[in-house]
Amino acid sequence: MIERWSRDQVLALAPDASSQKGAQSVGTAAKWSATGVGAGALWGECKGSGASPYRACVDFGEPAYRCSCPSRKFPCKHALGLLLIWSAGDVPAAEAAPDWVAEWLEQRRARAAKTAERASDVPSAGQGPTGASAEDGPDPAAERRAAQREERVAAGLAELERWLADQIGQGLSGARQSSPAQWQELTRRLVDAQAPGVAAAVSRLHRVLTEEDWPARLLGEYGLLNLLAVGYRRAASLPAPLRDTVRSRVGFPVSREEVLASPAVRDRWHVLGQRDDEQDRLVARRVWLKGQTTGRYALVLTFAPVGQAMDATLVTGTVIDAELAFYPGASPLRALVAARHGALPSTPPRGSGVREVLDLVAAAIAGDPWADSWPVLLSDVVPASRGGRWLLADPAAAPGEQAEGVPLHPSLGAPWRLLAVSGGHPATVAAEWTPRGLRPLTTWDEDGQVVVL
């Protein structure tokens, strides 16, 4: 039996706000015919503007979506609308899928089998990308290119260190007037030096100038940049995991093949929530997970140009039996889904108290000082206002003592939806920690249903 998703879970899959609105316009049973759910799939026909209805179906295995409409969005409004009427209990169970659904499902199974076969051919850690053993000898041209890049990066970061020293020596009082133009030029030079991670960090510095406490924040950002430049210069003396973190932050890539060749972690992974960010016409989707047995957190990060389909295979609030392969680092978080072994019954995940969460974040930052977000799962917390700032607080403080709490991001305002769901009672909340405060992602109501915040 397929576990039914909530309305919030369905709408969270929408690629944009217009798709959400469109889904709700077709998300009524009266607009659908020939609907059914079974054999791990959901299907139906929706009356469109043409003579023939649009055929939409969902494969719950990964999941995946298909519709005969001309939309390039996935899932489109018809697939989402079909999921909405299913979430409301308006789709009957069926013993067998129609031929057009069965054919699509068979094609997907065949492609999945081929993908698994190719994955079994991924070279091991002792082999190169073509499967040749490292004993066959290095590629002189590749080694030469790598050495040239190391030289360029070293020169670029040495220049960055000198520039930062000059800024601190001159003081920050005139940064609002003079620094933006310097940051643009510095970003360009760092791109030329093949240090894209550092260049991106410099390109974002202008954001701090809009804040009231911008001098302190700018000084902190300069400190992190200097720490990264020094870390790269002294990389040979660093522990291997920290060296991997430094190189990743500088912008050295780790190939998908390398990640998948590392040992995977199999667990029952709770999908805690997701957030989309757009920058330079590119949308980055962050999906946060937590292992039920290991207690380990993970980030699955995908990208797509604005207007193109985003990955929608990880549904907020669901639980999957899967193997995740983690990118190397001192505080490994980003991961790839190496293999999926099916969906599991969804239950509210078990979180931690405020003190444990703060210790977790502290440990993560100790391993990766440049981390600007980290997933957390708080149990038995209540939203509370203190000194004009909202926070998630532990209600179990001793009499006369102030409850511990984690502040929410100041840009969010009052968390009305969370207040409405919790009713002032302790709740479990999944959130994204940032240096400026928590961004709540998901909570669970008294019936255990997931609510997207």
Side-chain angles (χ1 to χ4, degrees):
M1 180 179 178
I2 302 169
E3 187 172 9
R4 189 176 297 147
W5 301 343
S6 70
R7 181 180 180 86
D8 273 9
Q9 286 174 287
V10 172
L11 292 177
L13 295 170
D16 52 37
S18 64
S19 296
Q20 276 194 354
K21 184 177 180 180
Q24 294 176 80
S25 70
V26 298
T28 58
K31 293 184 178 292
W32 290 85
S33 61
T35 57
V37 60
L42 169 71
W43 60 86
E45 298 181 357
C46 181
K47 177 64 176 176
S49 56
S52 301
Y54 295 129
R55 288 177 165 180
C57 54
V58 179
D59 178 2
F60 289 109
E62 192 167 335
Y65 315 89
R66 183 188 183 190
C67 184
S68 60
C69 76
S71 174
R72 293 186 177 182
K73 298 179 181 179
F74 289 93
C76 69
K77 68 177 185 180
H78 303 104
L80 292 167
L82 178 60
L83 284 166
L84 284 175
I85 65 169
W86 168 67
S87 73
D90 293 331
V91 176
E95 293 185 2
D99 290 344
W100 62 274
V101 176
E103 180 181 357
W104 178 62
L105 292 175
E106 181 57 35
Q107 290 172 351
R108 285 187 47 75
R109 305 295 182 266
R111 286 196 298 270
K114 289 182 179 179
T115 300
E117 184 178 347
R118 287 196 300 269
S120 66
D121 295 333
V122 170
S124 65
Q127 295 179 323
T130 61
S133 169
E135 295 178 357
D136 292 343
D139 179 353
E143 284 192 335
R144 186 167 56 253
R145 289 193 297 271
Q148 289 173 344
R149 181 177 184 182
E150 298 284 356
E151 292 176 1
R152 292 192 187 100
V153 171
L157 295 187
E159 180 184 356
L160 174 64
E161 282 192 71
R162 291 191 295 271
W163 184 86
L164 288 169
D166 290 342
Q167 300 308 301
I168 300 303
Q170 296 168 9
L172 303 180
S173 60
R176 273 184 162 167
Q177 290 73 37
S178 60
S179 290
Q182 295 181 49
W183 293 336
Q184 289 183 356
E185 176 61 20
L186 185 58
T187 298
R188 185 189 63 77
R189 293 203 298 269
L190 287 166
V191 169
D192 291 342
Q194 295 183 278
V198 189
V202 172
S203 72
R204 293 190 294 266
L205 288 175
H206 67 91
R207 299 178 183 178
V208 307
L209 298 181
T210 62
E211 306 296 335
E212 185 177 349
D213 60 343
W214 68 266
R217 291 193 59 200
L218 182 58
L219 184 61
E221 294 295 334
Y222 280 174
L224 288 173
L225 285 170
N226 190 72
L227 180 64
L228 186 55
V230 173
Y232 179 80
R233 176 161 51 83
R234 300 179 180 176
S237 63
L238 299 178
L242 182 55
R243 183 166 60 248
D244 289 336
T245 296
V246 168
R247 291 180 65 82
S248 173
R249 293 295 181 182
V250 168
F252 287 92
V254 179
S255 71
R256 180 183 180 88
E257 290 74 20
E258 289 179 85
V259 176
L260 292 176
S262 64
V265 179
R266 183 171 181 177
D267 204 341
R268 299 175 177 181
W269 296 95
H270 289 268
V271 184
L272 300 180
Q274 69 178 43
R275 184 164 68 86
D276 292 350
D277 287 320
E278 179 185 335
Q279 185 175 4
D280 298 330
R281 301 292 297 169
L282 189 69
V283 179
R285 170 162 293 177
R286 299 170 180 240
V287 181
W288 307 106
L289 303 94
K290 185 183 183 185
Q292 182 172 300
T293 303
T294 61
R296 188 168 183 175
Y297 288 94
L299 163 66
V300 176
L301 183 63
T302 54
F303 301 90
V306 172
Q308 297 298 310
M310 296 293 300
D311 178 78
T313 58
L314 296 171
V315 180
T316 297
T318 59
V319 183
I320 59 171
D321 179 3
E323 298 175 40
L324 299 189
F326 285 81
Y327 283 75
S331 294
L333 180 66
R334 186 182 175 188
L336 297 174
V337 179
R340 296 178 67 133
H341 303 283
L344 298 169
S346 298
T347 56
R350 187 169 52 227
S352 306
V354 169
R355 174 51 52 188
E356 292 177 84
V357 164
L358 293 175
D359 289 343
L360 166 74
V361 172
I365 296 174
D368 182 0
W370 306 278
D372 58 0
S373 65
W374 198 268
V376 296
L377 185 64
L378 293 130
S379 287
D380 298 325
V381 291
V382 294
S385 179
R386 183 184 301 162
R389 181 111 184 241
W390 284 92
L391 64 157
L392 298 183
D394 181 356
E401 292 185 2
Q402 191 175 58
E404 285 190 304
V406 187
L408 300 185
H409 196 285
S411 68
L412 300 178
W416 296 118
R417 187 168 173 82
L418 178 56
L419 286 164
V421 174
S422 66
H425 300 290
T428 296
V429 180
E432 179 186 6
W433 171 88
T434 75
R436 304 204 64 208
L438 295 180
R439 292 182 178 274
L441 300 168
T442 313
T443 190
W444 287 260
D445 64 19
E446 59 185 7
D447 298 321
Q449 289 291 311
V450 64
V451 178
V452 178
L453 300 173

